[in-house]
């Protein structure tokens, strides 16, 4: 998970740096994308547009995994992660990223350990389940909006480099 966490962190930092360079101009993600698309840099190197794409896909994965865990508590974590990966990230990964994923899959904690990490102190599973459902219901509409923007600017088909 450390590699994924580092990748997410780098993508967030890239967006923060652009925003901080001109907070009025880059007040939202669409403005960042417009700038790079206009310059022809949206698909190149370590662009903010690619960061937005991969952060969105990471959140898609998170939602898919949480939905599986809410729907079927106690299921095999490795299987849940693999199913979430297959529908959200795998279509965009090339062989190197897919190979790295297969190695990381062997390090997935069991269900009880994963849930224990998510539980707040003195919180029970039913409360956590409600919180996960609320989180999913709030996040999904935002992700749908971001996917519309990515499709509009032709960024929805970017694969790993």
């Amino acid at each position: 998970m450390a590699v994924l966490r580092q990748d997410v962190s780098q993508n967030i930092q890239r967006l923060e740096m652009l925003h901080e360079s001109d907070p009025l101009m880059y007040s939202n993600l669409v403005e960042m994308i417009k700038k790079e698309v206009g310059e022809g840099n949206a698909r190149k190197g370590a662009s903010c547009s690619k960061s937005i794409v991969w952060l969105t896909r990471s959140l898609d994965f998170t939602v898919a995994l949480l939905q599986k865990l809410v729907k079927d508590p106690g299921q095999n974590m490795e299987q849940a992660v693999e199913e979430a990966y297959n529908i959200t990230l795998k279509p965009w990964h090339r062989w190197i990223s897919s190979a790295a994923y297969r190695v990381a899959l062997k390090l997935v904690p069991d269900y009880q350990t994963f849930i224990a990490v998510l539980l707040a102190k003195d919180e029970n599973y039913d409360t956590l389940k409600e919180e996960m459902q609320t989180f999913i219901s709030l996040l999904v509409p935002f992700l749908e909006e971001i996917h519309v923007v990515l499709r509009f600017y032709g960024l929805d088909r970017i694969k790993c480099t």
Side-chain angles (χ1 to χ4, degrees):
M1 298 304 266
V3 173
L4 176 61
R5 203 176 354 221
Q6 180 182 6
D7 187 49
V8 167
S9 179
Q10 287 174 341
N11 285 325
I12 291 170
Q13 288 173 355
R14 193 171 294 122
L15 298 176
E16 286 175 337
M17 285 179 12
L18 183 61
H19 170 73
E20 290 167 2
S21 73
D22 190 340
L24 290 176
M25 178 176 269
Y26 306 119
S27 62
N28 62 63
L29 300 177
V30 176
E31 294 305 320
M32 293 177 183
I33 291 171
K34 275 194 220 176
K35 171 197 179 283
E36 290 183 345
V37 167
E39 295 172 347
N41 296 325
R43 295 176 164 270
K44 295 180 182 173
S47 71
C48 286
S49 297
K50 286 173 67 176
S51 291
I52 294 166
V53 168
W54 286 105
L55 286 168
T56 303
R57 289 176 181 165
S58 294
L59 290 170
D60 289 338
F61 170 79
T62 301
V63 165
L65 179 59
L66 291 177
Q67 285 172 328
K68 290 184 176 308
L69 297 178
V70 166
K71 182 179 176 184
D72 185 10
Q75 73 174 300
N76 179 290
M77 275 297 292
E78 190 173 324
Q79 180 182 347
V81 168
E82 186 158 13
E83 289 173 8
Y85 173 79
N86 286 340
I87 61 173
T88 59
L89 296 174
K90 186 178 181 178
W92 313 111
H93 280 173
R94 296 183 191 217
W95 74 271
I96 292 175
S97 298
S98 290
Y101 157 77
R102 284 190 297 278
V103 170
L105 185 61
K106 302 298 180 203
L107 304 173
V108 171
D110 63 54
Y111 179 81
Q112 294 302 328
T113 303
F114 183 76
I115 293 301
V117 169
L118 295 180
L119 282 171
K121 186 176 182 178
D122 299 326
E123 182 178 40
N124 65 37
Y125 177 76
D126 290 334
T127 304
L128 176 62
K129 184 176 177 179
E130 284 179 32
E131 289 173 350
M132 290 191 303
Q133 290 170 323
T134 300
F135 177 74
I136 291 165
S137 69
L138 293 172
L139 185 56
V140 166
F142 286 108
L143 290 172
E144 289 170 352
E145 290 283 326
I146 294 169
H147 282 290
V148 167
V149 170
L150 294 175
R151 274 191 299 279
F152 180 81
Y153 287 100
L155 300 172
D156 57 324
R157 296 282 170 204
I158 292 176
K159 289 195 173 237
C160 270
T161 51

